[in-house]
Amino acid sequence: MMDVVDSYRWRPPKTNYLPHNVDVDPVVEEYDVPLGKATDHENASYFQKMKLAAQEYNIVRPKGYTVSYHATSEMEKHHFGQTHPMKPWRLTLTKSLVTAYGMPFAMDNYNTRHATYEELNSFHSSDYLDYLATAAPEDQPRDLDNPDKDVKFNLGGSDCPLFHGLYDYCSMSAGTSLDAARKICNKQSDIAIAWGGGLHHAKKSEASGFCYINDIVLAILELLRLYPRVLYIDIDVHHGDGVEEAFFSTDRVMTVSFHKYQPEVFFPGTGGLHDNGPKSEHNPGAHHAINVPLNDGITDEQYEHLFTSIIGKVNTHFRPSAIALQCGADSLAGDRLGRFNLKVEGHAACVRYCKSLGIPMILFGGGGYTPRNVARAWAYETSIAIGADQNIPAEIPQHAPWRQHFVHDTLFPTLEQSMSEPRNNKNTDKRLRDIVSHVHEQLRFVQHAPSVQSMIIPPGLGPIRDEVEVRLKEEQDERDENLRRQKEAGLGVEGEL
């Protein structure tokens, strides 16, 4: 019998990890999970294949800027429920492609820690976090038999179930995004990747849309400690309502969301074209929420033109000093919930354009409910971040773990391969021109970006936790010897002719 996976065991409270004002009982049952673990020999063999792939595809560190990759493998082992659309295993598939192409050699790779209770509390309310941390897991949603049954903080229903290890999962997700933001703030990274984050629906005191902790808000709050203005862009098929709401009344954050809008039937039902922030001109947030409502079936060409036309103008007027880009992959063709006709190339064009602006940027994950296509998109967008998108082959490497789960052996499936038949495109060119015209009109009111002097970085979001940093440094020291050998091998460094 396999060992019990550690993330499914109850763990006693850590310092600054769980709330201090509640009694914590063991709430996560132990149970066996049939997950295999690679042997040291298998890991060494795969590492050699990664090295060969990096050399063959000329995967080297980009010149002039640094890319960092933030993740924790423990997130991947969690499960929302057998029939729930959200599958954290998509992160495993993403990692399988990123590593198979040898991309880690071109990045700084961080195994991130859990976000602490205080860090989560910088946005979320204490009563919500206390309940999230101590609510017992439930085998089936409370509203399964009774749709009208009340659920506290929207936790425990079909939308946001109380699954085993929930608080761990949330704190790990937030931890990846916060670590990415810190690396941007201290200039260790120019593009930071956190595919485990991007949960844009969570509110201050409420879970929503499979999202429990709004890691994007936490990361943006961290960025605002140093950067005067942050531009948040959302290409998930659902409206980024939680982030928009959090920064509704400030002119230091502009939110731009591209999403399907059919309020009667499609979640969350918000984000109409004329929803541009507070109605009062005296509120600093007026005109700082841009919404791009779309219909089913939009194509790569339409989406890319719309994106560049709007984001180019936003960049000119708002002059952001940092970008937070949520790359929800449920806007891809063939998604279990989405209804667009976007291919991997069209989705990734948004990342390529934002990178071309030369502004410090975090890439978040988000939605995406057909795991193989999520992994394709995020792996290809990782290659864009490191400047290797022209080098990697379209065929998925033979040594990629779980290769059979991709069904087709290409990184760029056609619409026919992604779904039985393309969706009917309901986006007319006139409608898209009207959207661009409306957004440009709104941006006329954003004539002067706010001036914020940030010469000194203020204290962090919570008390400085020296003991956490010391522990992390000790763990990093243990890995230094392997890192030294890797550098001596010249991996990820462009060779001389």
Side-chain angles (χ1 to χ4, degrees):
M1 183 66 67
M2 298 287 182
D3 291 338
V4 179
V5 178
D6 286 340
S7 59
Y8 291 113
R9 295 183 188 272
W10 175 77
R11 295 185 293 182
K14 299 178 181 178
T15 304
N16 291 321
Y17 177 57
L18 287 178
H20 305 292
N21 59 340
V22 293
D23 293 327
V24 180
D25 297 319
V27 294
V28 179
E29 296 178 3
E30 295 185 2
Y31 60 97
D32 293 326
V33 182
L35 293 176
K37 184 177 181 180
T39 65
D40 290 342
H41 176 73
E42 289 170 332
N43 283 332
S45 175
Y46 184 67
F47 184 75
Q48 290 301 317
K49 292 175 182 177
M50 284 174 55
K51 288 170 58 177
L52 292 174
Q55 293 164 354
E56 180 181 353
Y57 307 143
N58 193 30
I59 303 296
V60 297
R61 285 181 173 269
K63 290 184 177 179
Y65 67 98
T66 301
V67 179
S68 58
Y69 195 92
H70 307 261
T72 173
S73 59
E74 293 301 308
M75 270 191 71
E76 305 164 16
K77 302 171 184 177
H78 289 78
H79 204 290
F80 279 60
Q82 202 65 37
T83 60
H84 200 284
M86 177 63 88
K87 308 293 182 187
W89 188 64
R90 65 201 181 137
L91 298 173
T92 306
L93 286 183
T94 301
K95 181 172 66 178
S96 77
L97 290 183
V98 169
T99 56
Y101 281 111
M103 296 186 211
F105 295 117
M107 303 182 284
D108 293 335
N109 301 280
Y110 296 97
N111 184 23
T112 58
R113 64 169 172 82
H114 296 69
T116 67
Y117 178 85
E118 283 77 9
E119 287 170 330
L120 302 181
N121 196 207
S122 66
F123 172 62
H124 294 283
S125 65
S126 297
D127 55 347
Y128 173 66
L129 291 176
D130 293 347
Y131 186 79
L132 183 69
T134 58
E138 299 175 353
D139 292 333
Q140 68 178 25
R142 299 178 187 178
D143 57 359
L144 195 63
D145 298 323
N146 182 5
D148 298 323
K149 188 169 185 178
D150 289 335
V151 289
K152 192 173 183 180
F153 300 113
N154 198 32
L155 291 168
S158 302
D159 182 46
C160 298
L162 290 166
F163 59 85
H164 291 261
L166 172 59
Y167 190 82
D168 267 5
Y169 175 84
C170 295
S171 59
M172 283 188 280
S173 172
T176 62
S177 298
L178 279 170
D179 193 51
R182 290 194 186 97
K183 295 302 185 292
I184 294 289
C185 284
N186 63 20
K187 311 297 185 182
Q188 285 182 257
S189 182
D190 299 289
I191 300 176
I193 301 171
W195 295 134
L199 306 181
H200 58 169
H201 294 306
K203 310 299 193 300
K204 183 180 181 70
S205 300
E206 181 182 288
S208 177
F210 317 158
C211 305
Y212 302 82
I213 293 293
N214 201 315
D215 61 284
I216 302 173
V217 171
L218 297 174
I220 292 177
L221 288 173
E222 186 77 10
L223 292 176
L224 290 172
R225 293 173 54 216
L226 180 67
Y227 294 100
R229 296 172 299 280
V230 175
L231 171 60
Y232 171 68
I233 307 171
D234 192 315
I235 58 173
D236 194 288
V237 78
H238 301 94
H239 177 227
D241 58 336
V243 183
E244 178 183 297
E245 179 182 305
F247 299 106
F248 199 65
S249 294
T250 179
D251 57 1
R252 291 188 62 195
V253 178
M254 176 170 280
T255 61
V256 184
S257 178
F258 299 77
H259 52 268
K260 175 178 174 177
Y261 183 66
Q262 196 174 356
E264 301 82 8
V265 297
F266 196 73
F267 180 88
T270 53
L273 181 61
H274 296 278
D275 296 330
N276 300 123
K279 299 305 180 185
S280 171
E281 296 294 332
H282 299 291
N283 191 312
H287 312 291
H288 281 72
I290 303 298
N291 284 298
V292 185
L294 303 170
N295 296 322
D296 290 350
I298 193 167
T299 64
D300 281 4
E301 295 76 16
Q302 290 177 317
Y303 200 91
E304 182 176 358
H305 176 71
L306 195 65
F307 188 89
T308 56
S309 299
I310 290 174
I311 298 303
K313 204 74 168 180
V314 167
N315 182 52
T316 300
H317 282 262
F318 184 61
R319 301 203 305 272
S321 41
I323 292 176
L325 175 57
Q326 197 263 21
C327 302
D330 46 7
S331 47
L332 288 170
D335 187 80
R336 186 173 174 182
L337 300 184
R339 293 292 183 272
F340 289 171
N341 286 336
L342 292 186
K343 294 181 290 186
V344 170
E345 299 95 311
H347 194 270
C350 302
V351 176
R352 182 178 288 108
Y353 182 76
C354 288
K355 179 189 173 186
S356 73
L357 299 177
I359 301 170
M361 176 170 64
I362 301 177
L363 300 180
F364 299 93
Y369 309 102
T370 303
R372 59 181 178 271
N373 288 337
V374 176
R376 286 182 168 104
W378 291 350
Y380 184 55
E381 286 158 7
T382 301
S383 76
I384 290 174
I386 62 175
D389 47 305
Q390 300 301 315
N391 299 353
I392 62 172
E395 182 180 357
I396 295 174
Q398 292 291 331
H399 61 272
W402 301 286
R403 190 175 188 271
Q404 70 276 13
H405 288 283
F406 290 95
V407 182
H408 303 287
D409 62 4
T410 178
L411 200 59
F412 309 111
T414 64
L415 290 179
E416 290 72 25
Q417 289 173 326
S418 297
M419 50 188 168
S420 56
E421 61 181 27
R423 307 288 179 187
N424 181 33
N425 188 358
K426 299 179 181 179
N427 299 273
T428 65
D429 290 341
K430 180 182 182 306
R431 170 62 175 164
L432 298 183
R433 286 196 301 270
D434 290 343
I435 290 175
V436 172
S437 177
H438 174 82
V439 171
H440 287 186
E441 178 66 19
Q442 287 298 312
L443 291 172
R444 287 198 312 109
F445 297 96
V446 188
Q447 295 179 358
H448 303 287
S451 176
V452 180
Q453 190 172 13
S454 299
M455 299 300 293
I456 301 175
I457 301 178
L461 300 178
I464 297 175
R465 290 158 296 278
D466 291 336
E467 73 282 358
V468 175
E469 301 304 329
V470 169
R471 175 168 53 82
L472 290 176
K473 186 178 187 307
E474 290 174 351
E475 293 173 357
Q476 181 62 43
D477 288 344
E478 294 176 3
R479 296 190 290 268
D480 278 350
E481 182 64 19
N482 288 333
L483 181 61
R484 180 185 64 78
R485 292 175 180 175
Q486 177 180 309
K487 288 183 177 179
E488 287 180 354
L491 291 167
V493 180
E494 192 167 8
E496 297 180 0
L497 295 177

